Amino acid sequence: MTVQCNALKPYDVQAAESHQDFALDVLLGLSRSPKALPSKYFYDAEGNRLFQKIMDLPEYYLTECEFEIFQNHKDRIGELIGSDRFNLVELGAGDGQKTRVLIDHFLGKGLDFRYIPIDICEEALTELLQELQGYSPPLRIEGLVSEYFVGLKWLSNQIHDKNVVLFLGSNIGNFSHSEARVFLYSLWNALNDEDYVLIGFDLKKDIHRLTVAYNDSQGITAAFNLNLLRRINRELGGNFDLDQFRYYSAYNVYSGAVESFLISLREQTVYVETLNQSFSFEAWEPVHTEHSHKYLVSDIAELAEETGYEIIEQSYDSRGYFVDSLWQVRKNREM
Ligand code: AVI
Protein backbone atom coordinates (compact mmCIF):
# COMPACT_ATOMS: atom_id res chain seq x y z
CA MET A 1 0.00 0.00 0.00
CA THR A 2 1.31 3.46 -0.84
CA VAL A 3 0.26 6.04 1.66
CA GLN A 4 1.03 9.41 0.21
CA CYS A 5 -0.50 12.21 2.25
CA ASN A 6 -0.24 15.54 0.56
CA ALA A 7 1.32 14.66 -2.74
CA LEU A 8 1.10 18.30 -3.80
CA LYS A 9 3.30 20.05 -1.26
CA PRO A 10 5.05 19.36 2.03
CA TYR A 11 2.54 19.17 4.86
CA ASP A 12 3.98 21.95 7.03
CA VAL A 13 3.66 24.44 4.16
CA GLN A 14 0.04 23.54 3.57
CA ALA A 15 -0.75 23.55 7.31
CA ALA A 16 0.69 27.05 7.66
CA GLU A 17 -1.34 28.24 4.68
CA SER A 18 -4.57 26.74 5.96
CA HIS A 19 -4.00 28.36 9.38
CA GLN A 20 -3.67 31.72 7.62
CA ASP A 21 -6.76 31.03 5.50
CA PHE A 22 -8.72 30.16 8.63
CA ALA A 23 -7.64 33.42 10.35
CA LEU A 24 -8.53 35.45 7.27
CA ASP A 25 -11.93 33.79 6.83
CA VAL A 26 -12.76 34.38 10.51
CA LEU A 27 -11.73 38.03 10.17
CA LEU A 28 -13.85 38.52 7.04
CA GLY A 29 -16.79 36.50 8.36
CA LEU A 30 -17.07 38.26 11.71
CA SER A 31 -16.51 41.73 10.20
CA ARG A 32 -19.33 41.47 7.67
CA SER A 33 -23.01 42.01 8.27
CA PRO A 34 -24.77 39.62 8.66
CA LYS A 35 -21.92 37.65 10.24
CA ALA A 36 -21.02 34.26 8.73
CA LEU A 37 -18.36 31.55 9.19
CA PRO A 38 -17.66 28.98 6.43
CA SER A 39 -18.84 25.47 7.29
CA LYS A 40 -15.65 23.91 5.87
CA TYR A 41 -13.98 24.85 9.19
CA PHE A 42 -16.28 22.49 11.12
CA TYR A 43 -13.93 19.63 10.31
CA ASP A 44 -11.06 19.67 12.80
CA ALA A 45 -10.44 16.38 14.66
CA GLU A 46 -13.26 17.05 17.16
CA GLY A 47 -15.64 18.30 14.42
CA ASN A 48 -14.92 15.19 12.45
CA ARG A 49 -15.66 13.00 15.48
CA LEU A 50 -18.97 14.82 15.98
CA PHE A 51 -19.84 14.44 12.29
CA GLN A 52 -19.29 10.65 12.57
CA LYS A 53 -21.81 10.71 15.43
CA ILE A 54 -24.27 12.75 13.33
CA MET A 55 -24.07 10.13 10.58
CA ASP A 56 -25.14 7.49 13.12
CA LEU A 57 -28.11 9.49 14.42
CA PRO A 58 -31.58 8.07 13.70
CA GLU A 59 -32.76 11.53 12.58
CA TYR A 60 -29.92 12.02 10.06
CA TYR A 61 -31.40 9.82 7.32
CA LEU A 62 -28.89 10.84 4.61
CA THR A 63 -26.18 8.31 5.49
CA GLU A 64 -28.45 5.25 5.67
CA CYS A 65 -30.10 6.26 2.39
CA GLU A 66 -26.77 6.33 0.60
CA PHE A 67 -25.75 3.01 2.19
CA GLU A 68 -28.98 1.46 0.91
CA ILE A 69 -28.39 2.89 -2.57
CA PHE A 70 -24.88 1.43 -2.74
CA GLN A 71 -26.04 -1.95 -1.41
CA ASN A 72 -28.82 -2.17 -4.00
CA HIS A 73 -27.14 -0.54 -7.00
CA LYS A 74 -23.45 -1.46 -6.67
CA ASP A 75 -23.71 -4.03 -9.49
CA ARG A 76 -25.19 -1.54 -11.90
CA ILE A 77 -22.72 1.22 -10.93
CA GLY A 78 -19.78 -1.20 -11.38
CA GLU A 79 -21.07 -2.30 -14.80
CA LEU A 80 -21.53 1.26 -16.00
CA ILE A 81 -18.10 2.39 -14.89
CA GLY A 82 -16.67 -0.46 -16.94
CA SER A 83 -13.64 -2.66 -16.88
CA ASP A 84 -10.75 -0.33 -17.88
CA ARG A 85 -8.19 0.57 -15.25
CA PHE A 86 -9.29 3.70 -13.35
CA ASN A 87 -8.59 6.08 -10.44
CA LEU A 88 -11.40 6.05 -7.88
CA VAL A 89 -11.05 9.58 -6.47
CA GLU A 90 -13.20 10.55 -3.49
CA LEU A 91 -13.56 14.25 -2.68
CA GLY A 92 -14.33 14.79 1.03
CA ALA A 93 -13.86 11.11 1.88
CA GLY A 94 -14.31 11.45 5.67
CA ASP A 95 -14.42 7.97 7.23
CA GLY A 96 -15.12 6.36 3.83
CA GLN A 97 -17.70 3.96 5.36
CA LYS A 98 -20.22 4.06 2.51
CA THR A 99 -17.50 4.00 -0.11
CA ARG A 100 -16.32 0.70 1.32
CA VAL A 101 -19.49 -0.95 -0.03
CA LEU A 102 -18.37 0.08 -3.53
CA ILE A 103 -14.68 -0.69 -2.94
CA ASP A 104 -15.48 -4.22 -1.67
CA HIS A 105 -17.75 -4.81 -4.63
CA PHE A 106 -15.25 -3.50 -7.22
CA LEU A 107 -12.43 -5.58 -5.70
CA GLY A 108 -14.69 -8.65 -5.66
CA LYS A 109 -15.45 -8.14 -9.36
CA GLY A 110 -11.73 -7.85 -10.11
CA LEU A 111 -11.92 -4.23 -11.31
CA ASP A 112 -8.52 -2.63 -11.76
CA PHE A 113 -8.40 0.64 -9.80
CA ARG A 114 -6.54 2.65 -7.20
CA TYR A 115 -8.43 4.54 -4.52
CA ILE A 116 -7.52 8.20 -3.88
CA PRO A 117 -9.40 9.66 -0.91
CA ILE A 118 -9.04 13.44 -0.55
CA ASP A 119 -10.08 15.14 2.68
CA ILE A 120 -9.44 18.40 4.49
CA CYS A 121 -9.12 16.60 7.87
CA GLU A 122 -5.74 14.90 8.28
CA GLU A 123 -6.87 12.82 11.30
CA ALA A 124 -9.85 11.40 9.39
CA LEU A 125 -7.71 10.56 6.37
CA THR A 126 -4.96 8.90 8.42
CA GLU A 127 -7.56 6.77 10.19
CA LEU A 128 -9.15 5.79 6.88
CA LEU A 129 -5.78 4.83 5.37
CA GLN A 130 -4.94 2.71 8.41
CA GLU A 131 -8.28 0.92 8.28
CA LEU A 132 -7.91 0.12 4.59
CA GLN A 133 -4.42 -1.32 5.06
CA GLY A 134 -5.56 -4.84 5.81
CA TYR A 135 -7.48 -5.34 2.56
CA SER A 136 -7.21 -8.59 0.72
CA PRO A 137 -6.76 -8.53 -2.25
CA PRO A 138 -4.59 -5.48 -1.47
CA LEU A 139 -6.08 -2.12 -2.31
CA ARG A 140 -3.87 0.41 -4.04
CA ILE A 141 -4.46 3.68 -2.21
CA GLU A 142 -3.01 7.19 -2.04
CA GLY A 143 -4.49 9.77 0.33
CA LEU A 144 -4.34 13.50 -0.11
CA VAL A 145 -4.95 16.03 2.68
CA SER A 146 -6.44 19.00 0.89
CA GLU A 147 -9.47 21.10 0.10
CA TYR A 148 -11.60 20.19 -2.92
CA PHE A 149 -10.02 22.75 -5.22
CA VAL A 150 -6.45 21.63 -4.44
CA GLY A 151 -7.69 18.08 -5.10
CA LEU A 152 -8.88 19.24 -8.53
CA LYS A 153 -5.36 20.46 -9.31
CA TRP A 154 -4.06 16.96 -8.57
CA LEU A 155 -6.79 15.49 -10.77
CA SER A 156 -5.97 17.73 -13.71
CA ASN A 157 -2.56 16.03 -13.93
CA GLN A 158 -4.12 12.57 -14.35
CA ILE A 159 -4.53 13.07 -18.08
CA HIS A 160 -3.65 9.54 -19.14
CA ASP A 161 -5.94 7.79 -16.65
CA LYS A 162 -9.63 7.17 -16.58
CA ASN A 163 -11.04 8.85 -13.47
CA VAL A 164 -14.16 8.08 -11.47
CA VAL A 165 -14.82 10.87 -8.98
CA LEU A 166 -17.04 10.32 -5.94
CA PHE A 167 -18.66 13.35 -4.33
CA LEU A 168 -21.00 11.71 -1.86
CA GLY A 169 -23.14 12.36 1.20
CA SER A 170 -24.75 15.57 -0.08
CA ASN A 171 -21.45 17.43 0.22
CA ILE A 172 -22.62 19.31 -2.88
CA GLY A 173 -25.48 20.67 -0.73
CA ASN A 174 -23.04 22.74 1.32
CA PHE A 175 -22.31 24.84 -1.77
CA SER A 176 -24.66 27.61 -2.89
CA HIS A 177 -26.11 26.97 -6.38
CA SER A 178 -23.57 29.27 -8.00
CA GLU A 179 -20.69 27.69 -6.02
CA ALA A 180 -21.94 24.24 -7.09
CA ARG A 181 -21.89 25.33 -10.72
CA VAL A 182 -18.36 26.75 -10.44
CA PHE A 183 -17.17 23.63 -8.62
CA LEU A 184 -18.69 21.19 -11.14
CA TYR A 185 -17.38 23.17 -14.06
CA SER A 186 -13.88 23.25 -12.49
CA LEU A 187 -14.16 19.50 -11.97
CA TRP A 188 -15.21 19.08 -15.63
CA ASN A 189 -12.13 21.11 -16.64
CA ALA A 190 -9.84 18.91 -14.55
CA LEU A 191 -11.26 15.66 -15.98
CA ASN A 192 -10.89 13.85 -19.29
CA ASP A 193 -13.65 13.18 -21.81
CA GLU A 194 -15.81 10.23 -20.67
CA ASP A 195 -14.56 10.26 -17.04
CA TYR A 196 -17.32 9.61 -14.50
CA VAL A 197 -18.60 11.56 -11.51
CA LEU A 198 -20.95 10.04 -8.92
CA ILE A 199 -22.70 12.72 -6.85
CA GLY A 200 -24.94 12.23 -3.80
CA PHE A 201 -27.85 14.72 -3.74
CA ASP A 202 -30.29 15.04 -0.86
CA LEU A 203 -33.75 15.59 -2.36
CA LYS A 204 -36.49 18.02 -1.33
CA LYS A 205 -38.96 16.25 0.95
CA ASP A 206 -41.32 16.67 3.87
CA ILE A 207 -40.05 19.74 5.74
CA HIS A 208 -40.50 18.12 9.14
CA ARG A 209 -38.10 15.32 8.15
CA LEU A 210 -35.52 17.94 7.06
CA THR A 211 -35.91 20.03 10.20
CA VAL A 212 -35.51 17.08 12.54
CA ALA A 213 -32.37 15.85 10.71
CA TYR A 214 -30.58 19.09 11.66
CA ASN A 215 -32.13 19.40 15.16
CA ASP A 216 -31.38 16.02 16.71
CA SER A 217 -32.64 15.21 20.19
CA GLN A 218 -29.14 14.50 21.57
CA GLY A 219 -27.83 17.96 20.62
CA ILE A 220 -24.94 16.55 18.56
CA THR A 221 -25.59 18.91 15.63
CA ALA A 222 -25.62 21.86 18.04
CA ALA A 223 -22.27 20.71 19.50
CA PHE A 224 -20.93 20.27 15.93
CA ASN A 225 -21.72 23.93 15.15
CA LEU A 226 -20.51 25.28 18.52
CA ASN A 227 -17.22 23.40 18.05
CA LEU A 228 -16.38 26.01 15.39
CA LEU A 229 -16.18 28.66 18.15
CA ARG A 230 -14.08 26.28 20.26
CA ARG A 231 -11.74 25.86 17.27
CA ILE A 232 -11.38 29.65 16.96
CA ASN A 233 -10.54 29.79 20.69
CA ARG A 234 -7.94 27.03 20.40
CA GLU A 235 -6.30 27.83 17.08
CA LEU A 236 -6.63 31.60 16.94
CA GLY A 237 -6.63 32.51 20.65
CA GLY A 238 -10.29 33.54 20.79
CA ASN A 239 -12.26 33.94 24.01
CA PHE A 240 -15.75 32.85 22.88
CA ASP A 241 -17.95 31.76 25.80
CA LEU A 242 -19.82 28.84 24.19
CA ASP A 243 -22.66 29.08 26.73
CA GLN A 244 -23.48 32.52 25.37
CA PHE A 245 -24.35 31.18 21.88
CA ARG A 246 -27.24 28.95 20.85
CA TYR A 247 -27.54 26.78 17.75
CA TYR A 248 -30.57 27.41 15.53
CA SER A 249 -31.45 25.82 12.19
CA ALA A 250 -34.48 25.90 9.90
CA TYR A 251 -35.45 25.01 6.33
CA ASN A 252 -35.85 28.02 4.05
CA VAL A 253 -38.34 27.23 1.28
CA TYR A 254 -37.04 30.09 -0.89
CA SER A 255 -33.37 29.07 -0.83
CA GLY A 256 -34.25 25.33 -0.66
CA ALA A 257 -31.67 24.85 2.11
CA VAL A 258 -31.55 23.99 5.76
CA GLU A 259 -29.81 27.09 7.12
CA SER A 260 -27.85 26.94 10.37
CA PHE A 261 -26.77 29.69 12.74
CA LEU A 262 -25.14 30.37 16.08
CA ILE A 263 -27.11 33.07 17.86
CA SER A 264 -25.52 35.40 20.41
CA LEU A 265 -27.65 35.21 23.58
CA ARG A 266 -26.58 38.62 24.84
CA GLU A 267 -24.66 41.72 23.90
CA GLN A 268 -21.00 40.71 24.10
CA THR A 269 -17.52 41.35 22.75
CA VAL A 270 -15.15 38.55 21.74
CA TYR A 271 -11.40 39.04 21.31
CA VAL A 272 -9.32 36.96 18.87
CA GLU A 273 -5.63 37.18 19.70
CA THR A 274 -4.16 36.07 16.33
CA LEU A 275 -6.20 38.77 14.61
CA ASN A 276 -5.58 41.30 17.42
CA GLN A 277 -9.21 42.24 16.94
CA SER A 278 -12.43 42.38 18.98
CA PHE A 279 -15.84 41.60 17.52
CA SER A 280 -19.10 42.94 18.98
CA PHE A 281 -22.29 40.93 19.02
CA GLU A 282 -25.73 42.31 19.76
CA ALA A 283 -28.20 40.24 21.76
CA TRP A 284 -29.89 37.73 19.35
CA GLU A 285 -27.49 38.54 16.51
CA PRO A 286 -27.03 35.46 14.25
CA VAL A 287 -23.78 34.09 12.80
CA HIS A 288 -24.57 32.00 9.72
CA THR A 289 -22.62 28.72 9.83
CA GLU A 290 -23.95 26.41 7.11
CA HIS A 291 -26.41 25.88 4.30
CA SER A 292 -27.43 22.37 3.31
CA HIS A 293 -29.21 22.61 -0.05
CA LYS A 294 -31.88 20.12 -1.04
CA TYR A 295 -32.51 19.36 -4.70
CA LEU A 296 -35.37 18.66 -7.10
CA VAL A 297 -34.68 16.03 -9.76
CA SER A 298 -35.10 18.80 -12.36
CA ASP A 299 -32.41 20.92 -10.59
CA ILE A 300 -29.98 18.02 -10.99
CA ALA A 301 -30.70 17.67 -14.72
CA GLU A 302 -30.19 21.41 -15.20
CA LEU A 303 -26.93 21.42 -13.24
CA ALA A 304 -25.49 18.51 -15.26
CA GLU A 305 -26.43 20.13 -18.54
CA GLU A 306 -25.04 23.56 -17.58
CA THR A 307 -21.68 22.19 -16.51
CA GLY A 308 -20.94 19.77 -19.40
CA TYR A 309 -22.01 16.33 -18.19
CA GLU A 310 -24.49 13.70 -19.37
CA ILE A 311 -26.57 11.94 -16.70
CA ILE A 312 -26.05 8.20 -17.14
CA GLU A 313 -28.03 6.78 -14.22
CA GLN A 314 -30.00 7.97 -11.19
CA SER A 315 -30.02 5.55 -8.22
CA TYR A 316 -32.62 6.23 -5.50
CA ASP A 317 -33.19 4.79 -2.02
CA SER A 318 -36.52 3.05 -1.37
CA ARG A 319 -38.09 6.14 0.26
CA GLY A 320 -37.02 8.46 -2.58
CA TYR A 321 -35.18 10.72 -0.12
CA PHE A 322 -31.76 10.68 -1.78
CA VAL A 323 -30.24 10.09 -5.19
CA ASP A 324 -26.75 9.12 -6.32
CA SER A 325 -26.43 10.51 -9.79
CA LEU A 326 -23.82 9.06 -12.17
CA TRP A 327 -22.61 11.61 -14.71
CA GLN A 328 -20.18 11.31 -17.60
CA VAL A 329 -17.94 14.13 -18.82
CA ARG A 330 -18.74 15.24 -22.36
CA LYS A 331 -16.11 17.22 -24.23
CA ASN A 332 -15.58 18.10 -27.89
CA ARG A 333 -18.96 16.93 -29.08
CA GLU A 334 -22.65 17.69 -29.26
CA MET A 335 -24.73 15.93 -26.61
C1 AVI B 1 -21.34 17.26 5.23
N1 AVI B 1 -22.68 17.79 4.97
C2 AVI B 1 -23.24 17.20 3.77
C3 AVI B 1 -23.60 17.71 6.11
C4 AVI B 1 -24.99 18.29 5.73
O1 AVI B 1 -25.96 17.56 5.85
O2 AVI B 1 -25.04 19.44 5.29
C5 AVI B 1 -23.05 18.44 7.32
C6 AVI B 1 -24.03 18.49 8.47
N2 AVI B 1 -24.41 19.58 9.07
C7 AVI B 1 -25.27 19.28 10.04
N3 AVI B 1 -25.48 18.00 10.00
C8 AVI B 1 -24.69 17.46 9.04
Side-chain angles (χ1 to χ4, degrees):
M1 187 183 86
T2 337
V3 177
Q4 197 184 329
C5 276
N6 240 325
L8 298 170
K9 26 184 165 155
Y11 183 70
D12 50 347
V13 177
Q14 186 153 328
E17 276 183 9
S18 55
H19 185 263
Q20 271 177 20
D21 290 347
F22 183 35
L24 187 63
D25 283 337
V26 169
L27 175 64
L28 293 174
L30 296 184
S31 306
R32 52 171 280 196
S33 181
K35 292 183 171 63
L37 291 167
S39 60
K40 67 178 177 183
Y41 295 113
F42 282 161
Y43 302 92
D44 64 351
E46 174 62 5
N48 215 62
R49 195 187 63 78
L50 289 163
F51 185 56
Q52 307 298 324
K53 281 185 138 187
I54 289 175
M55 289 192 291
D56 286 339
L57 289 169
E59 295 100 328
Y60 194 72
Y61 58 86
L62 289 80
T63 314
E64 67 184 68
C65 288
E66 207 166 36
F67 254 117
E68 185 198 320
I69 291 170
F70 289 168
Q71 286 294 354
N72 294 339
H73 299 267
K74 58 189 181 215
D75 265 318
R76 181 81 186 127
I77 294 170
E79 277 165 24
L80 288 166
I81 287 169
S83 53
D84 295 346
R85 185 193 181 104
F86 62 93
N87 293 321
L88 185 66
V89 181
E90 181 165 13
L91 297 173
D95 71 351
Q97 284 294 339
K98 290 163 294 187
T99 318
R100 251 175 263 193
V101 177
L102 294 180
I103 290 176
D104 286 341
H105 182 72
F106 293 167
L107 284 176
K109 289 278 171 194
L111 299 190
D112 184 8
F113 67 100
R114 66 177 169 147
Y115 177 49
I116 297 130
I118 299 178
D119 202 277
I120 197 169
C121 178
E122 190 186 4
E123 289 83 357
L125 196 68
T126 309
E127 220 170 278
L128 174 63
L129 293 173
Q130 278 164 358
E131 279 178 29
L132 292 175
Q133 239 166 5
Y135 257 76
S136 172
L139 175 64
R140 284 182 300 133
I141 173 166
E142 284 177 34
L144 195 65
V145 178
S146 85
E147 276 192 37
Y148 299 142
F149 281 96
V150 183
L152 295 191
K153 236 191 233 168
W154 179 90
L155 255 175
S156 61
N157 292 324
Q158 311 306 305
I159 46 172
H160 300 300
D161 293 324
K162 177 175 168 185
N163 299 296
V164 176
V165 177
L166 306 176
F167 196 48
L168 308 177
S170 183
N171 281 335
I172 188 106
N174 297 133
F175 289 139
S176 68
H177 288 300
S178 57
E179 285 168 344
R181 239 176 276 129
V182 169
F183 171 76
L184 290 167
Y185 184 65
S186 311
L187 179 60
W188 179 92
N189 248 324
L191 292 172
N192 307 316
D193 191 28
E194 299 193 356
D195 279 352
Y196 287 99
V197 181
L198 182 67
I199 309 175
F201 290 94
D202 193 20
L203 295 171
K204 286 190 171 153
K205 59 181 67 61
D206 174 41
I207 291 172
H208 177 69
R209 172 81 43 213
L210 293 173
T211 311
V212 166
Y214 293 83
N215 288 281
D216 65 276
S217 54
Q218 297 173 47
I220 313 284
T221 313
F224 178 60
N225 277 255
L226 283 162
N227 180 57
L228 185 46
L229 304 186
R230 190 175 285 120
R231 182 173 184 185
I232 296 174
N233 285 352
R234 196 182 53 250
E235 293 185 21
L236 304 178
N239 66 353
F240 276 101
D241 178 351
L242 272 59
D243 291 335
Q244 297 307 327
F245 287 85
R246 183 182 297 159
Y247 169 69
Y248 173 77
S249 121
Y251 180 69
N252 178 336
V253 285
Y254 293 119
S255 66
V258 174
E259 296 178 352
S260 301
F261 304 88
L262 290 169
I263 314 263
S264 173
L265 295 182
R266 62 172 168 89
E267 189 181 329
Q268 54 185 315
T269 300
V270 173
Y271 179 66
V272 181
E273 200 181 342
T274 304
L275 303 173
N276 191 21
Q277 176 107 13
S278 293
F279 301 95
S280 309
F281 295 81
E282 288 177 53
W284 305 110
E285 182 176 350
V287 181
H288 180 268
T289 49
E290 185 177 54
H291 37 214
S292 302
H293 287 90
K294 309 302 166 189
Y295 279 80
L296 293 173
V297 174
S298 58
D299 297 331
I300 298 172
E302 213 171 281
L303 195 56
E305 163 134 34
E306 281 171 351
T307 52
Y309 301 84
E310 181 183 351
I311 297 182
I312 303 297
E313 183 95 349
Q314 305 266 58
S315 307
Y316 297 88
D317 65 296
S318 53
R319 290 178 289 186
Y321 281 179
F322 199 94
V323 62
D324 277 289
S325 193
L326 183 67
W327 298 4
Q328 194 165 30
V329 173
R330 294 288 179 230
K331 294 192 178 180
N332 319 318
R333 83 177 88 146
E334 295 287 311
M335 284 207 291

